[in-house]
Amino acid sequence: MKIIILGYFLFLLYAIAQTNPLDENNQIQQEQIMQDQIRADTEKKYQEQLQLENNINIKYYEIFLFGMSLFKEKSYNLALVEFKRFVYTIEATYSGAVNVRANDKISEAIFFAGMCYFYMDEYNKSVLEFKKIIDDYKYTEMAPRAAYQIGKIY
């Protein structure tokens, strides 16, 4: 038994003697380099994703602006199509993860869709659009305006 313990003790001394402090420092440096590389890759992917989202938001916002220009020209049928396309595209793209700024634009598009129905004398459909804002986007600035329009219709 003493021989086994002595053999194990000698093995431990040999293992400690073989451990080179330079190897540990080198390993720490390599780990630091790997962490820096991972951090840089993550930051690069984040920036690429942010740029992609900005490009997507610009593209979608152009749909909204086109709908607004049609609305101002009193082409309510065409404007309605663009507002609905804008809402559908944003909701389908972000599927529930829509941010506050997008919610404001979505509620604005729904509001103007309701106004299109209003000017086309389709009051029931107009009320449905305004109620959608009150139910789904009640914390946006369009909710009070939608409630006012419902009151105006009735």
Side-chain angles (χ1 to χ4, degrees), residues 97-114:
V98 179
N99 63 25
V100 174
R101 202 172 104 218
N103 277 340
D104 287 340
K105 278 297 169 199
I106 290 171
S107 67
E108 193 173 351
I110 295 170
F111 178 82
F112 281 104

Side-chain angles (χ1 to χ4, degrees), residues 56-64 86 89-90 93-94:
I56 289 172
N57 288 338
I58 290 169
K59 180 177 123 185
Y60 297 154
Y61 190 63
E62 288 173 356
I63 297 170
F64 177 80
F86 173 79
T89 306
I90 292 289
T93 301
Y94 292 104

Side-chain angles (χ1 to χ4, degrees), residues 66-146:
F66 184 58
M68 286 302 295
S69 67
L70 291 169
F71 183 83
K72 288 176 184 174
E73 293 174 6
K74 300 181 181 184
S75 299
Y76 300 121
N77 281 330
L78 297 174
L80 180 63
V81 170
E82 293 304 313
F83 291 132
K84 293 218 174 246
R85 186 170 74 129
F86 173 79
V87 171
Y88 174 78
T89 306
I90 292 289
E91 287 178 343
T93 301
Y94 292 104
S95 62
V98 179
N99 63 25
V100 174
R101 202 172 104 218
N103 277 340
D104 287 340
K105 278 297 169 199
I106 290 171
S107 67
E108 193 173 351
I110 295 170
F111 178 82
F112 281 104
M115 292 304 295
C116 288
Y117 282 127
F118 178 80
Y119 289 124
M120 293 186 306
D121 297 328
E122 295 184 34
Y123 301 115
N124 290 335
K125 289 181 181 179
S126 181
V127 168
L128 290 175
E129 293 296 322
F130 295 136
K131 282 185 178 178
K132 189 184 303 181
I133 295 171
I134 293 169
D135 293 341
D136 298 340
Y137 301 98
K138 58 185 149 224
Y139 299 112
T140 63
E141 64 184 52
M142 285 294 152
R145 292 178 70 185

